[in-house]
Amino acid sequence: MYGFEAMTFNIHGGYLEAIVRGHRSGLLTTADYNNLCQCETLDDIKMHLSATEYGPYLQNEPSPLHTTTIVEKCTLKLVDDYKHMLCQATEPLSTFLEYITYGHMIDNVVLIVTGTLHERDVQELLEKCHPLGMFDSIATLAVAQNMRELYRLVLVDTPLAPYFSECITSEDLDDMNIEIMRNTLYKAYLEDFYRFCQKLGGATAEIMSDLLAFEADRRAVNITINSIGTELTRDDRRKLYSNFGLFYPYGHEELAVCEDIDQVRAVMEKYPPYQSIFAKLSYGESQMLDKAFYEEEVKRHCLAFEQQFHYAVFFAYMRLREQEIRNLMWISECVAQNQKSRVHDSVVFIF
Amino acid sequence: MSSSAIIAAHSSSWAAALVRISPYTFSAIGIAVSIGVSVLGAAWGIYITGSSLIGAAIKAPRITSKNLISVIFCEAVAIYGVIVAIILQTKLESVPKSSIYEPESLRAGYAIFASGLIVGFANLVCGLCVGIIGSSCALSDAQNSSLFVKILVIEIFGSALGLFGVIVGIIMSAQATWPSKI
C-alpha cells in the first residue's frame, strides 16, 4: 500500500538500502573533481583517486597508466558493489537488480555482433564488453550470420529472449539493421522494466516510472536526431519509440516527422519539464545536448535518494556511478591528451 | 436475580450473550493484549531500526553507539506493557459466584479489558513510530553527523505517545473495583 511501505520494507530490504546509501556517500564530490581537473598526468589522477573509494582498485597498477586501465578498474568497483548487493538480495529486489543490467547486456550483444561484422577478433571484443552485461555463451555470438541464428543459438537462453519477438527477421546483419535491432531491444527492455516496476507498486513504481520515462524520452530525442538525414522512414522511426513517457503518444507523432534540430527543439519546448534542457543551448547547436541530458538525469537520480523504503535508490546509485566513471574517463582523456582546457566541457558534477 | 439479568432477558440476543460473558474473560484478554501487543510494537520498531543501523554502520562505524538510543526507546515501549500488565493482574480479584454478573463486576472486568487494549495499541503504534524514525536517523547520521540530535527530538516526541497510553490505562484500571465479598 503506498505510504505504508515503512512498516514492512526493512524486513527484506533494510540492510541493502542502508548499504547502497553508504555507497552513495562515497561518490566523488565537486572538490574531488576540482582536484582531478588540475592534475597534470595520469599518475596524479591515480594519487588523487587513492584517497577515495577507488584506492584499493588502482593501487596495484604499474606506473605507465592508460586511461582504459583507470576506467576498467573503476568499473570493477561498480561490479563488486553490484554483485555484493545482488547476492544479499531476496525477491523481488534481486529481479529488480538484474533488470538494471539488461541494458548492458544489450550493448554487449550489439558490440560483439558489430565487431564480428567488421572482422575483429572475438577475444578482443570480449575484453571490451561491459562486465555487468556478461552472460555465459556470449562468445558464441560471433558465429551468427543473421538474426534468426543469433536468437536460436545464443539469445534464447538469456533474459533478453522475450525482447526478440519484434526483431526476428531473416535479414542479414549489417550496420543499419544492427542499430535498429539495438533500439528495438532497448525499447522492449524499457517497457518490460516499466511494467515490472508498476507491478511492484508503491513508492518504487512512482519514482521508477519518472526515471524510466525520462530515459525513454531521452532515447526518443536521440533516435530522432541521429536518424535525421538517414534512410530510416518515419514509420520505422516511430516504431523505435517506447510506449510510455511524457512524449507518448502525441510527442512521438511530432518527433517522427522532424527533419532538423530546430523542429525537435520546438516539440520539446511544449513539455515544461524538458524546456530547461534546451534553454541551455543556443539555436542550431547540438553538441551540448548530451551534456544537458546528463545533467538532467543526474539531478533526477539524486532526487530518488530523498525518499526512503523503495528500490529506486539502487537504480539511481548504479546510474550515478556510471556517470562518475564517464566523468573520470573524460578527465583522464583530457589529461592524457594535454587538452585540459576542455575538461569542463563534459564533466557533470553529481553533488 | 439481579437487574442486569432482567434487562438482558428483554434485550436482543446479542446483548444477552455479551452480558453473559464472564468479566474474568474480559480481564484476562485485557492483560494479554497489554503485554502481547506492546511487545509486538517494540519488536517491530527494533527490527526496522536495527536492519538500517547494521547496514549503515558498515560505511560509518561511528554511528553505532549513539544510535542504540533508538533501540532503547523502542524497548521502553515493551517495558511499559509489562508494567501495566503486572498492575492489571493485581486488580483481578475473586468474587463469589452469585455476584459474577453484578453490574459492579462487569464494570471492573470491562475496565481492565479497556485498560489493556489502550496500553497495548498505544504501544504498538508508538513502537512502530520510533522504529521508523530510528531507521531514518541512522541513515542520516551516517551521512551527516550533525543531524542526529535533531532527529532524536522527533523520536522523543514519538515515544511520548506510548506514555500517554500508559497514563490513561492506569487511570482506567484504578476504577476496577470488584463488588465486596458479603
Side-chain angles (χ1 to χ4, degrees):
Chain A
M1 196 182 0
Y2 191 12
F4 290 89
E5 290 115 356
M7 303 205 307
T8 50
F9 182 86
N10 274 11
I11 302 175
H12 293 297
Y15 172 70
L16 283 175
E17 183 184 1
I19 292 219
V20 88
R21 283 175 186 268
H23 286 319
R24 173 211 186 258
S25 65
L27 287 172
L28 298 178
T29 60
T30 313
D32 291 320
Y33 283 124
N34 284 335
N35 282 342
L36 286 171
C37 289
Q38 285 164 7
C39 288
E40 296 290 333
T41 67
L42 291 179
D43 286 318
D44 281 345
I45 291 187
K46 173 179 158 180
M47 187 183 73
H48 276 118
L49 286 179
S50 63
T52 68
E53 293 193 345
Y54 291 115
Y57 291 86
L58 283 174
Q59 70 189 17
N60 291 328
E61 291 303 308
S63 202
L65 276 180
H66 294 287
T67 57
T68 47
T69 321
I70 294 182
V71 172
E72 211 179 285
K73 296 300 167 193
C74 295
T75 312
L76 209 54
K77 176 185 178 1
L78 172 60
V79 174
D80 280 346
D81 287 345
Y82 174 79
K83 291 218 158 93
H84 173 80
M85 290 194 291
L86 185 62
C87 68
Q88 296 270 7
T90 61
E91 290 291 334
L93 179 54
S94 52
T95 311
F96 185 89
L97 287 174
E98 283 171 9
Y99 263 99
I100 300 178
T101 60
Y102 293 166
H104 291 297
M105 267 190 214
I106 294 174
D107 287 338
N108 285 352
V109 166
V110 170
L111 179 74
I112 292 192
V113 170
T114 317
T116 314
L117 198 64
H118 293 167
E119 322 235 330
R120 299 229 207 287
D121 179 36
V122 174
Q123 282 307 113
E124 189 191 316
L125 292 171
L126 283 177
E127 278 168 27
K128 285 200 200 162
C129 282
H130 197 285
L132 279 179
M134 296 299 276
F135 51 93
D136 302 333
S137 74
I138 191 171
T140 334
L141 284 170
V143 182
Q145 301 295 335
N146 61 31
M147 288 190 214
R148 203 175 283 282
E149 270 187 25
L150 197 64
Y151 178 72
R152 197 173 51 83
L153 285 178
V154 183
L155 293 165
V156 68
D157 293 322
T158 65
L160 299 179
Y163 305 151
F164 263 80
S165 56
E166 292 177 33
C167 51
I168 299 187
T169 61
S170 298
E171 285 173 22
D172 281 338
L173 298 165
D174 65 30
D175 278 322
M176 176 74 148
N177 291 340
I178 291 178
E179 276 308 305
I180 295 185
M181 177 176 87
R182 181 212 295 267
N183 284 312
T184 317
L185 283 176
Y186 212 90
K187 165 190 165 170
Y189 156 61
L190 277 182
E191 287 172 7
D192 193 25
F193 199 1
Y194 184 77
R195 270 193 302 269
F196 176 70
C197 292
Q198 293 296 105
K199 214 167 50 158
L200 289 176
T204 304
E206 185 188 355
I207 299 176
M208 281 307 294
S209 47
D210 182 52
L211 296 178
L212 289 177
F214 178 74
E215 179 76 17
D217 292 336
R218 179 172 78 160
R219 288 190 79 86
V221 170
N222 281 338
I223 288 173
T224 312
I225 293 182
N226 290 340
S227 62
I228 290 175
T230 65
E231 309 151 353
L232 197 64
T233 65
R234 289 176 181 182
D235 287 330
D236 282 341
R237 198 197 281 183
R238 182 89 179 66
K239 274 194 283 195
L240 293 176
Y241 298 150
S242 303
N243 291 344
F244 63 98
L246 275 186
F247 284 158
Y248 172 77
Y250 305 115
H252 287 321
E253 302 286 338
E254 293 182 25
L255 278 177
V257 299
C258 282
E259 292 300 333
D260 68 49
I261 300 211
D262 290 326
Q263 288 181 359
V264 174
R265 174 198 289 271
V267 173
M268 282 187 71
E269 281 177 355
K270 294 186 190 160
Y271 295 86
Y274 301 138
Q275 272 171 357
S276 57
I277 298 180
F278 265 97
K280 296 181 195 166
L281 308 173
S282 50
Y283 274 94
E285 190 189 304
S286 77
Q287 298 96 315
M288 301 301 281
L289 183 62
D290 274 345
K291 183 174 181 192
F293 269 128
Y294 282 137
E295 279 173 357
E296 180 72 19
E297 181 191 10
V298 161
K299 195 173 75 171
R300 285 174 189 234
H301 286 300
C302 283
L303 285 176
F305 285 91
E306 299 293 310
Q307 207 170 331
Q308 212 182 330
F309 308 120
H310 61 86
Y311 292 148
V313 284
F314 297 96
F315 180 76
Y317 167 69
M318 301 289 287
R319 286 299 161 100
L320 287 175
R321 263 287 175 218
E322 285 168 20
Q323 178 60 41
E324 185 177 275
I325 294 177
R326 273 196 289 270
N327 286 346
L328 284 175
M329 182 174 74
W330 180 260
I331 294 176
S332 312
E333 288 286 348
C334 286
V335 163
Q337 296 173 16
N338 253 325
Q339 297 217 19
K340 298 208 10 220
S341 52
R342 296 195 54 198
V343 151
H344 287 282
D345 277 352
S346 194
V347 172
V348 179
F349 294 133
I350 297 182
F351 295 122
Chain B
M1 232 352 206
S2 59
S3 51
S4 66
I6 299 172
I7 295 171
H10 290 289
S11 317
S12 71
S13 59
W14 279 112
L18 282 171
V19 156
R20 297 305 274 183
I21 298 178
S22 162
Y24 293 140
T25 311
F26 278 114
S27 314
I29 293 177
I31 297 172
V33 165
S34 112
I35 178 65
V37 177
S38 303
V39 167
L40 173 65
W44 203 331
I46 291 180
Y47 91 63
I48 292 181
T49 302
S51 51
S52 292
L53 183 50
I54 292 174
I58 291 182
K59 273 288 158 66
R62 59 182 165 80
I63 67 170
T64 41
S65 21
K66 277 197 296 183
N67 278 279
L68 285 178
I69 290 184
S70 308
V71 179
I72 291 173
F73 274 128
C74 288
E75 178 71 20
V77 153
I79 293 177
Y80 298 156
V82 173
I83 290 174
V84 172
I86 291 177
I87 290 176
L88 288 181
Q89 65 87 29
T90 60
K91 300 278 179 190
L92 257 184
E93 295 169 10
S94 293
V95 292
K97 186 171 169 202
S98 58
S99 41
I100 288 184
Y101 294 104
E102 291 281 315
E104 285 301 309
S105 295
L106 293 177
R107 177 176 180 252
Y110 297 152
I112 298 180
F113 177 62
S115 173
L117 235 56
I118 290 168
V119 169
F121 287 100
N123 285 339
L124 170 65
V125 291
C126 172
L128 253 181
C129 168
V130 173
I132 295 174
I133 300 175
S135 155
S136 307
C137 182
L139 294 177
S140 326
D141 190 15
Q143 303 266 344
N144 179 356
S145 46
S146 64
L147 289 174
F148 175 71
V149 178
K150 303 182 168 89
I151 299 184
L152 202 61
V153 174
I154 306 178
E155 274 191 61
I156 292 173
F157 278 110
S159 71
L161 300 174
L163 223 41
F164 297 158
V166 170
I167 292 171
V168 175
I170 295 199
I171 293 175
M172 273 297 290
S173 71
Q175 313 189 20
T177 46
W178 300 81
S180 46
K181 301 182 176 118
I182 301 171

